Amino acid sequence: MENDIVSALENGELQLYVQPKVDMRDGRVIGGEALVRWKHPEKGLVPPREFIPVLEKNGFIINVDEYIWEKVFAYLGKLHREDRMLVPVSINVSRLHAYDEKLAETLTIEITESIQLQGNDNFMDIFNCWRDAGIEISIDDFGTGYSTMNMLKNQTLDEIKIDREFIRDLEKDKSRIIIRNTIAMLQQLGVHIVIEGVETEEQKSFLLGCGCTDAQGFLFHRPMP
Ligand code: C2E
Ligand code: CA
Ligand code: CA
């Protein structure tokens, strides 16, 4: 896989997909997330969870991320030139980019909480640097294992994406209490919330009942080329 991925980039086998984010009240598209797809000539579509970890180990994720970002910039530029509707498109930023201070494009960047584990105060400085450059910071996969409470206290964040694991088991009283109160807490802190992985009407109506309107999930749109 390590060998294949280098030629994959050169041969144009890596493609940009975008999954829309919607306002669940009316289905309006309010944004999107850029996601990489690998169309392998023999193996077919290889899911990111199979190759991203390999790339994060050997460092090549830096190249792949930048390739995807460029595709996003080109796509937004094209929409802009054609006078079409523009919404913010988030790009994923691997933790390996965390030390790169040159990132300065006006896009929302999603950073997985785990980069914090590298335990470096630098991140706060880098975040502030990015925010000054007009980039919105979004914390990905909120609610999955890594503590974010300190970050919520100390850092201005624009967006938090609540992981889809979080909105499973809605039939359990305890799950509903946790979700409802987490949403309330984040809203009181003034953070914009996006719920990921909404697949059912039950999830949608429960979340709307909690006052959360913005979501990304197969119920609305799958990632598309
Ligand atoms: P992520 O950043 O949390 O991306 C959201 C994932 O959830 C996507 O999987 C998306 O297809 C999936 N998803 C969205 N709605 C639903 C739903 O309703 N149900 C279900 N079951 N899944 C849903 P995908 O595209 O397979 O990406 C997996 C992970 O790979 C991403 O998780 C992200 O961590 C990583 N990734 C993908 N593209 C890139 C990239 O360009 N750069 C980097 N660094 N990581 C990427
Ligand atoms: Ca993401
Ligand atoms: Ca996520």
Side-chain angles (χ1 to χ4, degrees), residues 84-97:
R84 304 205 3 228
M85 187 182 79
L86 276 178
V87 289
V89 174
S90 313
I91 54 179
N92 284 289
V93 179
S94 163
R95 71 193 73 182
L96 295 192
H97 288 284

Side-chain angles (χ1 to χ4, degrees), residues 108-225:
T108 306
I109 293 191
E110 297 185 4
I111 298 168
T112 202
E113 293 172 36
S114 54
I115 62 170
Q116 265 201 296
L117 280 189
Q118 314 287 322
N120 194 321
D121 287 342
N122 261 345
F123 286 124
M124 299 305 173
D125 296 340
I126 291 172
F127 283 175
N128 287 332
C129 211
W130 285 349
R131 297 187 87 251
D132 289 346
I135 295 172
E136 294 192 350
I137 305 295
S138 169
I139 294 297
D140 210 354
D141 303 339
F142 183 81
T144 58
Y146 302 104
S147 164
T148 355
M149 292 303 167
N150 267 323
M151 191 167 207
L152 288 176
K153 224 172 16 184
N154 300 327
Q155 180 65 20
T156 315
L157 301 169
D158 302 293
E159 181 182 276
I160 281 198
K161 298 189 82 179
I162 297 185
D163 192 71
R164 70 167 185 274
E165 287 297 319
F166 217 70
I167 57 162
R168 278 192 182 171
D169 308 325
L170 273 188
E171 67 289 349
K172 289 191 196 153
D173 289 346
K174 284 184 182 171
S175 300
R176 291 199 302 274
I177 291 169
I178 292 169
I179 297 164
R180 192 178 291 118
N181 288 288
T182 302
I183 290 172
M185 176 187 70
L186 293 175
Q187 284 175 338
Q188 283 171 39
L189 290 169
V191 189
H192 176 231
I193 306 169
V194 176
I195 307 271
E196 278 191 308
V198 177
E199 293 182 346
T200 67
E201 289 291 342
E202 287 77 22
Q203 289 171 326
K204 174 182 158 182
S205 48
F206 176 75
L207 292 165
L208 281 171
C210 293
C212 182
T213 56
D214 297 349
Q216 187 180 338
F218 292 174
L219 181 63
F220 310 104
H221 300 282
R222 291 192 174 243
M224 51 186 84

